[in-house]
Amino acid sequence: MRGATHAKWAACAAAVALAATACGGGDSDSGGSGSGDGGATLSASWGDPQNPLEPANTNEVQGGKVLDMIFRSLKRYNPETGKAEDMLAEKIETSDSQNFTVTVKDGWTFSNGEKVTAKSFVDAWNYGASLKNNQKNAYFFGYIDGYDKVHPEDGSKQTAQTLSGLKVTGDLTFTVKLNQKFSTFPDTLGYPAYAPLPQAFFTDHDAWLKKPVGNGPYTIESYTKGSQMSLKKWDGYKGDDKAQNGGVTLKVYTDNNTAYTDLMAGNLDLVDDVPAAQLKNVKADLGDRYLNTPAGIIQTLAFPFYDKNWNKPGMEKVRTGLSRAIDRDQITKTIFNDTRTPASDWTSPVLGEAGGFKEGLCGDACEYDPKAAKKLIEEGGGLPGGQVKITYNADTGSHKQWVDAVCNSINNALDNDKACVGNPVGTFADFRNQIGEQKMSGPFRAGWQMDYPLIQNFLQPLYYTNASSNDGKWSNKDFDKLVDEANAETDTAKAVSTFQDAEKVLRDNMGAIPLWYQNGSAGYSERLSNVKLNPFSVPVYNEIKVS
Amino acid sequence: MGRYVVRRLLQMIPVFIGATLLIFLMVNVMGDPIAGLCGDRQCDPATAAQLEKEFGLDKPVWQQYLTYMGNVFTGDFGTAFNGQKVTELMSTAFPVTIRLTIVAILFEIVIGITLGVVTGLRRGKPVDTSVLMLTLVVISIPTFVTGLLLQLLLGVEWGWIKPSVSTDATFSELIVPGLVLASVSLAYVTRLTRTSIAENRRSDYVRTAVAKGLPRRRVITRHLLRNSLIPVVTFIGTDIGALMGGAIVTERIFNIHGVGYQLYQGILRQNTQTVVGFVTVLVLVFLVANLLVDLLYAVLDPRIRYA
């Protein structure tokens, strides 16, 4: 009797749910019938952006996804090759790698009808650089002259409101003066922080944040913070990368496992982060609707060079020895199901040969050889304190698994159960906190997701003396000198090879152990076709076709 | 009765202050919340300092606590790191979780108490044994297993429900998550009711009622059930708070954007304002639920009223 009541309820729930599905389906069908395939919308998994959605304030993938859909900058990175190509830039000229003249293409508008002019860029960049606006990507404007005035490093009062290196010289032209030579500067301009902003951003900031307005192929139709954003194709879009679908609904998921389940149940079209637990079944579940392509992400182990023990002469042998004690092939295969590729340099395959990726640059130092590893570590004076502790944050990703595996590999090579142990830290914030306070006593996890596909971005921010992300405080005069030279070089090919020379200095000192390159993964429903991931491991939404 | 209520209300004050102070200290000793804000890199020191000032994190903790509590009494719970007001987060999260809790509590009351009464009256019979076995199974399986299993079977294999709950989180969508959330408590309610009924069945007042020749229905509902429900009401009352705060697992599985999800995000991002704000409200819910339970006692058993 009770059971019967129960069953009736379940059936009732099912009926309601089914009815709801049917309704949803009907809506999108009727919406799409007018314009055929091009009008149909798709749904995709999303995570809640950590910061308010402003171009210069977004430094994580989830917010970046949206910016990539609603903004176009001077340059755009080709979704396939990663090369920086002119988008809104008519031309960017320089004769000395330090002073640039930018001409903006005519006829572009924001989706609210405002024209995109030189001022749209200069205002946006000034806003991004100004200390009082708390923009987390402000350091991107650090190369521009006058940055130290609008963003004093010590946090004292800013003495200027605008960057002296930026000047509007015409409706569609402006000049940029850098504080140092930087030949590849134009190629960095595809990064979302450099996007233009409409006047509406400055006049009614709160309203803009509720519903951002840009100049990209999509416009935001509605945005419920923390749960859903629906984007619609913008018919007035000028570029040649128009949206091939009617729109995208981004749904926030509490857990990527749930998103994957929804995809399996036909409730979601696109998942751009296949959960680690599902990697074993994903090929059986999705077949060729599973994507696993290289992304501009490399995982390394950094060292605390502020610790005397890790910085004394001979330690480079110990560091190299540790590197040789790690069986990268086996770990990427068994733990990551081939969603990582063993690293043999400090960049990423997405750069391509011409861009500076060089397979095997690390040479022997990254090849697994337990005997050589043991010998090197002994020659270098042994492990400081007889043991290494690898610190990592345990809250996200599968860091625990791979750190344990790396330690296992090191322990086996050294025939010592206690040579290496993992040292988990509860939250990412605390992990960052400890790194910031220079509390690391041994190697620690260091991941790097590129900002723009340039070899410079894989080396300078991470290993240049006192650079923004040089968490281990590695410092080497030769390395710094080569990076400076490379930046001043106007010939791209030569600049790249000089950067690679710098990378060799990094290798010979083993400033950080490269572990593996990370892939982006995605799965999609049968309704979609032409799904790709760009070098930032973000789906190229505007090219997706919906049937 | 009036004095009783006043005394209970006064007792709530130190509990409230103590609980919020504790959670405030706990979140703050975890480290610098700004550190994790800039992704895999260090925030530049100037911006970090500026942000700390904006969120009031540059002051000593006791001062932060005082300012915070001062603001709370004017209804200002501060701003989350993503620029949203915490009150705004609450206004979206709490209705969802309250709906989920209502569904769960209804399951507990309707199914739990009915099963409890049925088995309590038929102690030792096959119905009793099978329900006991069933509750034992439910209690021993963790919620996330039940949740994932139901999601897989009903959502993916049979397609009866959607595996995830939409933004609206309507009552009908919350039936399965609510059942999952309620499952363990439901089993306890069944067992509590059963024991209580079985015990009171042999008590003097029930025998008297039967001897007076009252109809069976009236004996059970007016005499037996009313007295047997006291421990059950206590349990369900305290469970309201536990369900609201403990829904993290269920909310994650079914993609429900409620209190559990916001708390989880807040802890992960070490967002003091969000965590403390939500916990403050949860503490209030606990206190009010307990107060209601105590008042209900007085209704169920007049002897308590005069104590």
Side-chain angles (χ1 to χ4, degrees):
Chain A
M1 185 61 197
R2 303 297 158 204
T5 328
H6 189 167
K8 214 188 278 168
W9 273 1
C12 195
V16 173
L18 284 174
T21 329
C23 290
D27 277 350
S28 65
D29 283 351
S30 62
S33 60
S35 47
D37 286 353
T41 61
L42 64 127
S43 55
S45 68
W46 195 33
D48 198 12
Q50 191 169 3
N51 303 309
L53 269 177
E54 299 167 286
N57 207 12
T58 299
N59 54 4
E60 36 78 58
V61 182
Q62 305 304 340
K65 269 181 205 170
V66 178
L67 294 182
D68 191 48
M69 291 161 93
I70 63 167
F71 276 109
R72 285 293 179 261
S73 290
L74 290 166
K75 294 264 186 178
R76 178 165 192 246
Y77 302 115
N78 185 302
E80 259 169 77
T81 62
K83 220 175 135 22
E85 291 165 353
D86 282 345
M87 194 74 214
L88 263 78
E90 182 82 48
K91 53 186 190 250
I92 302 175
E93 294 167 312
T94 181
S95 53
D96 59 356
S97 300
Q98 191 163 2
N99 288 286
F100 296 85
T101 309
V102 181
T103 312
V104 182
K105 273 184 192 155
D106 196 11
W108 281 68
T109 54
F110 291 100
S111 59
N112 64 358
E114 273 183 51
K115 264 193 85 176
V116 183
T117 62
K119 199 169 173 296
S120 318
F121 286 96
V122 172
D123 285 351
W125 296 7
N126 277 326
Y127 180 88
S130 180
L131 176 61
K132 66 169 194 285
N133 297 325
N134 294 336
Q135 302 287 292
K136 287 166 199 92
N137 286 338
Y139 63 94
F140 272 91
F141 306 98
Y143 294 107
I144 300 173
D145 212 28
Y147 179 73
D148 49 345
K149 297 259 172 25
V150 298
H151 199 112
E153 210 175 316
D154 54 0
S156 57
K157 202 126 185 88
Q158 64 185 91
T159 49
Q161 298 305 314
T162 53
L163 291 158
S164 59
L166 291 178
K167 281 204 178 67
V168 179
T169 51
D171 202 23
L172 293 169
T173 53
F174 66 101
T175 58
V176 186
K177 182 168 184 272
L178 304 184
N179 48 27
Q180 65 179 83
K181 285 182 191 288
F182 186 8
S183 58
T184 45
F185 174 72
D187 288 349
T188 67
L189 296 177
Y191 190 76
Y194 294 109
L197 287 169
Q199 271 309 306
F201 177 86
F202 304 100
T203 48
D204 193 349
H205 193 223
D206 286 342
W208 193 92
L209 281 182
K210 282 209 178 81
K211 204 173 160 184
V213 171
N215 63 336
Y218 291 96
T219 57
I220 295 172
E221 195 175 37
S222 67
Y223 179 20
T224 318
K225 273 189 184 162
S227 56
Q228 189 165 311
M229 177 185 273
S230 67
L231 293 121
K232 222 178 63 190
K233 177 185 181 178
W234 178 36
D235 291 324
Y237 180 63
K238 260 295 255 161
D240 47 15
D241 54 339
K242 284 188 173 42
Q244 306 289 309
N245 47 59
V248 178
T249 306
L250 298 173
K251 293 182 181 172
V252 174
Y253 277 88
T254 48
D255 187 346
N256 58 1
N257 279 299
T258 314
Y260 188 81
T261 313
D262 251 1
L263 176 71
M264 298 318 298
N267 206 10
L268 185 76
D269 291 320
L270 174 64
V271 168
D272 62 356
D273 177 22
V274 176
Q278 302 288 354
L279 286 174
K280 274 189 222 102
N281 334 324
V282 67
K283 277 195 194 116
D285 285 349
L286 295 169
D288 53 4
R289 287 181 287 117
Y290 164 59
L291 293 178
N292 178 22
T293 54
I297 306 172
I298 183 171
Q299 293 282 349
T300 60
L301 284 182
F303 293 97
F305 288 96
Y306 42 78
D307 184 337
K308 269 207 308 288
N309 284 328
W310 282 102
N311 206 6
K312 62 189 179 202
M315 283 312 279
E316 70 279 355
K317 282 195 171 161
V318 176
R319 294 194 293 269
T320 312
L322 284 174
S323 169
R324 301 205 69 175
I326 300 168
D327 190 349
R328 295 173 177 77
D329 283 312
Q330 208 201 344
I331 295 172
T332 49
K333 208 163 280 153
T334 50
I335 294 190
F336 293 118
N337 285 286
D338 291 322
T339 56
R340 309 281 190 279
T341 314
S344 60
D345 80 341
W346 281 260
T347 66
S348 161
V350 298
L351 295 180
E353 289 279 326
F357 167 66
K358 190 163 186 189
E359 199 173 350
L361 184 134
C362 185
D364 289 347
C366 292
E367 260 157 44
Y368 177 59
D369 185 341
K371 276 198 198 110
K374 197 171 178 186
K375 200 167 148 243
L376 274 167
I377 291 175
E378 273 162 17
E379 278 175 16
L383 300 171
Q387 190 183 48
V388 284
K389 273 189 181 170
I390 300 180
T391 309
Y392 62 96
N393 59 308
D395 54 349
T396 51
S398 43
H399 299 315
K400 184 184 160 34
Q401 281 98 314
W402 71 255
V403 169
D404 287 349
V406 163
C407 272
N408 237 328
S409 185
I410 292 174
N411 290 345
N412 286 340
L414 299 183
D415 281 329
N416 176 358
D417 273 355
K418 297 198 174 83
C420 175
V421 288
N423 175 31
V425 173
T427 60
F428 179 67
D430 196 19
F431 177 64
R432 284 303 323 170
N433 193 23
Q434 293 190 17
I435 290 174
E437 287 174 9
Q438 310 201 346
K439 275 190 187 160
M440 295 293 145
S441 59
F444 54 96
R445 174 188 92 79
W448 180 252
Q449 164 140 32
M450 66 175 185
D451 301 312
Y452 29 80
L454 290 178
I455 183 172
Q456 181 266 351
N457 191 238
F458 280 94
L459 299 177
Q460 192 169 0
L462 290 159
Y463 309 112
Y464 195 85
T465 302
N466 284 327
S468 56
S469 293
N470 188 349
D471 290 329
K473 300 287 166 210
W474 189 67
S475 173
N476 183 298
K477 283 206 186 81
D478 296 334
F479 179 87
D480 291 359
K481 204 176 115 232
L482 285 164
V483 167
D484 287 339
E485 269 173 38
N487 274 331
E489 185 60 63
T490 42
D491 178 42
T492 322
K494 239 176 148 188
V496 165
S497 84
T498 316
F499 272 123
Q500 283 173 340
D501 290 341
E503 204 179 337
K504 284 172 194 157
V505 175
L506 180 63
R507 170 195 65 194
D508 295 339
N509 289 283
M510 197 49 83
I513 298 178
L515 293 172
W516 34 74
Y517 313 119
Q518 191 165 323
N519 286 1
S521 63
Y524 53 94
S525 71
E526 278 159 0
R527 292 177 66 216
L528 306 189
S529 59
N530 204 24
V531 182
K532 273 183 291 200
L533 292 175
N534 70 14
F536 302 91
S537 78
V538 170
V540 188
Y541 292 100
N542 59 300
E543 290 184 12
I544 297 175
K545 294 197 172 95
V546 188
S547 64
Chain B
M1 182 79 177
R3 190 187 287 174
Y4 174 67
V5 174
V6 171
R7 208 167 57 207
R8 285 288 290 104
L9 282 173
L10 285 177
Q11 278 170 3
M12 284 164 68
I13 297 171
V15 176
F16 179 73
I17 293 175
T20 48
L21 180 64
L22 264 182
I23 194 76
F24 202 87
L25 290 175
M26 272 152 75
V27 179
N28 270 288
V29 292
M30 285 200 318
D32 176 13
I34 302 295
L37 264 187
C38 292
D40 248 327
R41 68 185 89 217
Q42 206 179 337
C43 289
D44 76 275
T47 310
Q50 181 93 356
L51 283 169
E52 276 187 2
K53 210 182 202 172
E54 190 176 305
F55 292 110
L57 297 165
D58 53 342
K59 301 204 182 72
V61 175
W62 64 268
Q63 208 175 328
Q64 283 182 45
Y65 178 72
L66 286 187
T67 340
Y68 182 81
M69 287 318 279
N71 287 339
V72 164
F73 282 110
T74 57
D76 175 11
F77 283 86
T79 312
F81 285 158
N82 70 353
Q84 268 182 292
K85 288 256 164 230
V86 175
T87 41
E88 205 180 306
L89 290 177
M90 287 178 182
S91 68
T92 56
F94 269 101
V96 174
T97 299
I98 288 172
R99 276 203 291 276
L100 182 64
T101 312
I102 290 175
V103 173
I105 294 279
L106 280 178
F107 270 118
E108 282 180 26
I109 293 176
V110 175
I111 301 186
I113 295 184
T114 329
L115 282 182
V117 171
V118 170
T119 51
L121 292 175
R122 293 186 179 75
R123 220 155 65 127
K125 302 269 168 56
V127 189
D128 182 34
T129 329
S130 48
V131 169
L132 271 184
M133 293 276 282
L134 200 73
T135 52
L136 189 69
V137 171
V138 171
I139 289 170
S140 54
I141 299 177
T143 326
F144 73 90
V145 177
T146 333
L148 286 173
L149 203 69
L150 279 182
Q151 185 184 42
L152 189 72
L153 287 178
L154 302 178
V156 182
E157 295 295 322
W158 302 337
W160 288 8
I161 58 161
K162 285 193 195 181
S164 72
V165 169
S166 74
T167 341
D168 303 333
T170 52
F171 271 112
S172 57
E173 283 178 305
L174 291 174
I175 289 176
V176 176
L179 183 63
V180 170
L181 181 62
S183 59
V184 173
S185 301
L186 197 157
Y188 281 123
V189 168
T190 307
R191 292 187 149 220
L192 262 177
T193 318
R194 173 186 170 274
T195 319
S196 192
I197 291 263
E199 239 170 51
N200 289 335
R201 237 182 103 195
R202 268 173 281 148
S203 61
D204 295 341
Y205 63 85
V206 173
R207 206 176 332 139
T208 314
V210 175
K212 275 201 289 189
L214 289 177
R216 186 176 154 81
R217 171 170 287 272
R218 194 171 161 79
V219 174
I220 292 174
T221 50
R222 288 291 296 180
H223 297 261
L224 182 54
L225 202 53
R226 186 166 162 174
N227 281 291
S228 308
L229 276 186
I230 291 180
V232 181
V233 165
T234 319
F235 181 80
I236 294 180
T238 45
D239 209 35
I240 293 176
L243 288 178
M244 288 188 83
I248 293 185
V249 175
T250 319
E251 291 193 356
R252 246 183 98 101
I253 293 174
F254 291 97
N255 195 37
I256 301 168
H257 299 263
V259 173
Y261 167 67
Q262 293 295 351
L263 266 178
Y264 176 74
Q265 289 268 335
I267 292 169
L268 216 57
R269 293 176 179 175
Q270 219 177 329
N271 199 331
T272 325
Q273 313 280 340
T274 321
V275 178
V276 180
F278 275 85
V279 171
T280 306
V281 176
L282 283 179
V283 167
L284 280 176
V285 171
F286 262 100
L287 290 174
V288 171
N290 269 313
L291 178 72
L292 286 180
V293 168
D294 285 357
L295 296 182
L296 258 182
Y297 273 173
V299 176
L300 288 173
D301 188 347
R303 279 172 301 178
I304 297 171
R305 230 176 280 177
Y306 307 112

PDB file of all heavy atoms in Angstrom, chain B residues 37-51:
ATOM      1  N   LEU B  37      43.029  34.832  -5.070  1.00  0.00           N
ATOM      2  CA  LEU B  37      42.170  35.557  -6.008  1.00  0.00           C
ATOM      3  C   LEU B  37      42.772  35.738  -7.385  1.00  0.00           C
ATOM      4  O   LEU B  37      42.066  35.921  -8.351  1.00  0.00           O
ATOM      5  CB  LEU B  37      41.847  36.943  -5.434  1.00  0.00           C
ATOM      6  CG  LEU B  37      40.537  37.089  -4.679  1.00  0.00           C
ATOM      7  CD1 LEU B  37      40.312  38.538  -4.355  1.00  0.00           C
ATOM      8  CD2 LEU B  37      39.395  36.560  -5.507  1.00  0.00           C
ATOM      9  N   CYS B  38      44.102  35.709  -7.478  1.00  0.00           N
ATOM     10  CA  CYS B  38      44.737  36.056  -8.746  1.00  0.00           C
ATOM     11  C   CYS B  38      45.131  34.832  -9.552  1.00  0.00           C
ATOM     12  O   CYS B  38      46.020  34.902 -10.389  1.00  0.00           O
ATOM     13  CB  CYS B  38      45.927  36.963  -8.506  1.00  0.00           C
ATOM     14  SG  CYS B  38      45.420  38.573  -7.911  1.00  0.00           S
ATOM     15  N   GLY B  39      44.521  33.700  -9.289  1.00  0.00           N
ATOM     16  CA  GLY B  39      44.822  32.511 -10.068  1.00  0.00           C
ATOM     17  C   GLY B  39      46.185  31.964  -9.704  1.00  0.00           C
ATOM     18  O   GLY B  39      46.657  32.156  -8.583  1.00  0.00           O
ATOM     19  N   ASP B  40      46.795  31.287 -10.672  1.00  0.00           N
ATOM     20  CA  ASP B  40      48.046  30.595 -10.385  1.00  0.00           C
ATOM     21  C   ASP B  40      49.233  31.534 -10.252  1.00  0.00           C
ATOM     22  O   ASP B  40      50.359  31.141 -10.449  1.00  0.00           O
ATOM     23  CB  ASP B  40      48.322  29.568 -11.490  1.00  0.00           C
ATOM     24  CG  ASP B  40      48.193  28.157 -10.936  1.00  0.00           C
ATOM     25  OD1 ASP B  40      48.525  27.983  -9.761  1.00  0.00           O
ATOM     26  OD2 ASP B  40      47.764  27.264 -11.670  1.00  0.00           O
ATOM     27  N   ARG B  41      48.983  32.767  -9.967  1.00  0.00           N
ATOM     28  CA  ARG B  41      50.093  33.702  -9.803  1.00  0.00           C
ATOM     29  C   ARG B  41      49.835  34.572  -8.584  1.00  0.00           C
ATOM     30  O   ARG B  41      48.732  34.618  -8.073  1.00  0.00           O
ATOM     31  CB  ARG B  41      50.238  34.565 -11.038  1.00  0.00           C
ATOM     32  CG  ARG B  41      49.080  35.535 -11.218  1.00  0.00           C
ATOM     33  CD  ARG B  41      49.204  36.276 -12.505  1.00  0.00           C
ATOM     34  NE  ARG B  41      48.545  35.551 -13.576  1.00  0.00           N
ATOM     35  CZ  ARG B  41      48.986  35.481 -14.822  1.00  0.00           C
ATOM     36  NH1 ARG B  41      50.099  36.064 -15.147  1.00  0.00           N
ATOM     37  NH2 ARG B  41      48.315  34.833 -15.739  1.00  0.00           N
ATOM     38  N   GLN B  42      50.861  35.267  -8.176  1.00  0.00           N
ATOM     39  CA  GLN B  42      50.715  36.139  -7.027  1.00  0.00           C
ATOM     40  C   GLN B  42      50.031  37.434  -7.449  1.00  0.00           C
ATOM     41  O   GLN B  42      50.314  37.960  -8.520  1.00  0.00           O
ATOM     42  CB  GLN B  42      52.110  36.438  -6.491  1.00  0.00           C
ATOM     43  CG  GLN B  42      52.135  36.765  -5.036  1.00  0.00           C
ATOM     44  CD  GLN B  42      53.547  37.021  -4.563  1.00  0.00           C
ATOM     45  OE1 GLN B  42      54.506  36.560  -5.183  1.00  0.00           O
ATOM     46  NE2 GLN B  42      53.682  37.738  -3.493  1.00  0.00           N
ATOM     47  N   CYS B  43      49.129  37.939  -6.618  1.00  0.00           N
ATOM     48  CA  CYS B  43      48.538  39.242  -6.907  1.00  0.00           C
ATOM     49  C   CYS B  43      49.648  40.277  -6.804  1.00  0.00           C
ATOM     50  O   CYS B  43      50.530  40.132  -5.966  1.00  0.00           O
ATOM     51  CB  CYS B  43      47.477  39.599  -5.875  1.00  0.00           C
ATOM     52  SG  CYS B  43      45.972  38.647  -5.992  1.00  0.00           S
ATOM     53  N   ASP B  44      49.586  41.332  -7.621  1.00  0.00           N
ATOM     54  CA  ASP B  44      50.631  42.324  -7.407  1.00  0.00           C
ATOM     55  C   ASP B  44      50.316  43.054  -6.097  1.00  0.00           C
ATOM     56  O   ASP B  44      49.159  43.270  -5.751  1.00  0.00           O
ATOM     57  CB  ASP B  44      50.782  43.259  -8.618  1.00  0.00           C
ATOM     58  CG  ASP B  44      49.699  44.284  -8.718  1.00  0.00           C
ATOM     59  OD1 ASP B  44      48.650  43.945  -9.289  1.00  0.00           O
ATOM     60  OD2 ASP B  44      49.892  45.394  -8.227  1.00  0.00           O
ATOM     61  N   PRO B  45      51.361  43.353  -5.325  1.00  0.00           N
ATOM     62  CA  PRO B  45      51.184  43.786  -3.935  1.00  0.00           C
ATOM     63  C   PRO B  45      50.260  44.998  -3.788  1.00  0.00           C
ATOM     64  O   PRO B  45      49.464  45.065  -2.843  1.00  0.00           O
ATOM     65  CB  PRO B  45      52.592  44.155  -3.479  1.00  0.00           C
ATOM     66  CG  PRO B  45      53.532  43.649  -4.498  1.00  0.00           C
ATOM     67  CD  PRO B  45      52.775  43.321  -5.738  1.00  0.00           C
ATOM     68  N   ALA B  46      50.347  45.920  -4.739  1.00  0.00           N
ATOM     69  CA  ALA B  46      49.540  47.132  -4.635  1.00  0.00           C
ATOM     70  C   ALA B  46      48.055  46.792  -4.731  1.00  0.00           C
ATOM     71  O   ALA B  46      47.243  47.249  -3.922  1.00  0.00           O
ATOM     72  CB  ALA B  46      49.935  48.119  -5.722  1.00  0.00           C
ATOM     73  N   THR B  47      47.687  45.968  -5.711  1.00  0.00           N
ATOM     74  CA  THR B  47      46.283  45.590  -5.885  1.00  0.00           C
ATOM     75  C   THR B  47      45.805  44.785  -4.678  1.00  0.00           C
ATOM     76  O   THR B  47      44.697  44.984  -4.187  1.00  0.00           O
ATOM     77  CB  THR B  47      46.093  44.762  -7.167  1.00  0.00           C
ATOM     78  OG1 THR B  47      46.717  45.449  -8.246  1.00  0.00           O
ATOM     79  CG2 THR B  47      44.636  44.551  -7.479  1.00  0.00           C
ATOM     80  N   ALA B  48      46.679  43.867  -4.197  1.00  0.00           N
ATOM     81  CA  ALA B  48      46.305  43.050  -3.047  1.00  0.00           C
ATOM     82  C   ALA B  48      45.996  43.940  -1.846  1.00  0.00           C
ATOM     83  O   ALA B  48      44.987  43.746  -1.163  1.00  0.00           O
ATOM     84  CB  ALA B  48      47.419  42.068  -2.715  1.00  0.00           C
ATOM     85  N   ALA B  49      46.866  44.925  -1.620  1.00  0.00           N
ATOM     86  CA  ALA B  49      46.658  45.824  -0.482  1.00  0.00           C
ATOM     87  C   ALA B  49      45.352  46.582  -0.634  1.00  0.00           C
ATOM     88  O   ALA B  49      44.575  46.745   0.316  1.00  0.00           O
ATOM     89  CB  ALA B  49      47.825  46.800  -0.385  1.00  0.00           C
ATOM     90  N   GLN B  50      45.104  47.033  -1.855  1.00  0.00           N
ATOM     91  CA  GLN B  50      43.884  47.785  -2.157  1.00  0.00           C
ATOM     92  C   GLN B  50      42.640  46.933  -1.895  1.00  0.00           C
ATOM     93  O   GLN B  50      41.663  47.385  -1.302  1.00  0.00           O
ATOM     94  CB  GLN B  50      43.946  48.191  -3.634  1.00  0.00           C
ATOM     95  CG  GLN B  50      42.777  48.988  -4.121  1.00  0.00           C
ATOM     96  CD  GLN B  50      43.038  50.467  -4.004  1.00  0.00           C
ATOM     97  OE1 GLN B  50      44.069  50.882  -3.497  1.00  0.00           O
ATOM     98  NE2 GLN B  50      42.109  51.265  -4.469  1.00  0.00           N
ATOM     99  N   LEU B  51      42.705  45.659  -2.319  1.00  0.00           N
ATOM    100  CA  LEU B  51      41.568  44.754  -2.125  1.00  0.00           C
ATOM    101  C   LEU B  51      41.351  44.481  -0.645  1.00  0.00           C
ATOM    102  O   LEU B  51      40.224  44.437  -0.161  1.00  0.00           O
ATOM    103  CB  LEU B  51      41.817  43.437  -2.867  1.00  0.00           C
ATOM    104  CG  LEU B  51      41.616  43.475  -4.376  1.00  0.00           C
ATOM    105  CD1 LEU B  51      42.138  42.206  -5.021  1.00  0.00           C
ATOM    106  CD2 LEU B  51      40.149  43.660  -4.724  1.00  0.00           C
TER     107      LEU B  51
END
